Amino acid sequence: THSSFDTIMSIGGGGGGAYLTAPTTSSSGSSGGSGGGGGGNSTGGAGGGSTANGNNGGVGLNSASSGGGGGGAGAVGVGGASSSIGGAGGVGLSNSITGSAVYYAGGGGGASDASVSAGGNGGGGAGGKGNSPEIIGVAGTANTGGGGGASRNDNIQGASGGSGVVILRFLTSGNTYTTKFLGNTQ
């Protein structure tokens, strides 16, 4: 989900890819502030391309059930490593506009058979795993633009990306501002 204020828009994170059994293919991650990681199987899916806000997601590993990590604002997503290791999400970028350093737009983790892959620092959701107990991908954190984690579960789509955020900063020292309340006064 995108966030906007006036003409300023912050792009939400891209959703993660999925492992599909019929047909035996995988879906690619979707575009966003961070590109979603590609699902993995015999024809591992490509990571989702991103907008100018971030980088591409990693590619799912061919001939293995290993998805790529989603791209972050600071780095591309890592490709799937093996059937038991999905790619990690790319790191986001740090910004101190709120008064403390916060990472935004981290990539979602890729999925695999046996282990959960980390999302990138900056709100990226962790990737899921297929072996018992099955774990689906985790959604990106709201108000960060983080990418969603990929899923390995049969025919279950990857998680949604986190919404973006718009933060306004302006100087108050030496300036005068007038405010109006236009809502209902009852």
Side-chain angles (χ1 to χ4, degrees):
T1 304
H2 307 322
S3 297
S4 62
F5 176 81
D6 195 28
T7 60
I8 302 168
M9 179 175 284
S10 183
I11 306 299
Y19 177 88
L20 307 172
T21 57
T24 306
T25 60
S26 60
S27 67
S28 297
S30 61
S31 298
S34 304
N41 68 0
S42 60
T43 56
S50 78
T51 65
N53 296 51
N55 291 288
N56 289 338
V59 176
L61 183 65
N62 288 334
S63 303
S65 303
S66 175
V76 298
V78 177
S82 70
S83 62
S84 61
I85 303 172
V91 66
L93 287 177
S94 178
N95 191 297
S96 299
I97 193 170
T98 62
S100 59
V102 177
Y103 275 84
Y104 297 96
S112 71
D113 282 337
S115 63
V116 173
S117 298
N121 192 3
K129 71 182 190 74
N131 290 348
S132 181
E134 291 185 337
I135 298 174
I136 62 172
V138 176
T141 304
N143 302 323
T144 65
S151 287
R152 166 56 182 89
N153 309 61
D154 294 348
N155 301 312
I156 294 180
Q157 292 296 324
S160 298
S163 59
V165 64
V166 174
I167 299 170
L168 301 177
R169 186 176 85 175
F170 57 94
L171 298 176
T172 58
S173 177
N175 296 308
T176 303
Y177 299 96
T178 302
T179 60
K180 291 183 179 180
F181 178 71
L182 302 176
N184 188 340
T185 58
Q186 295 181 358

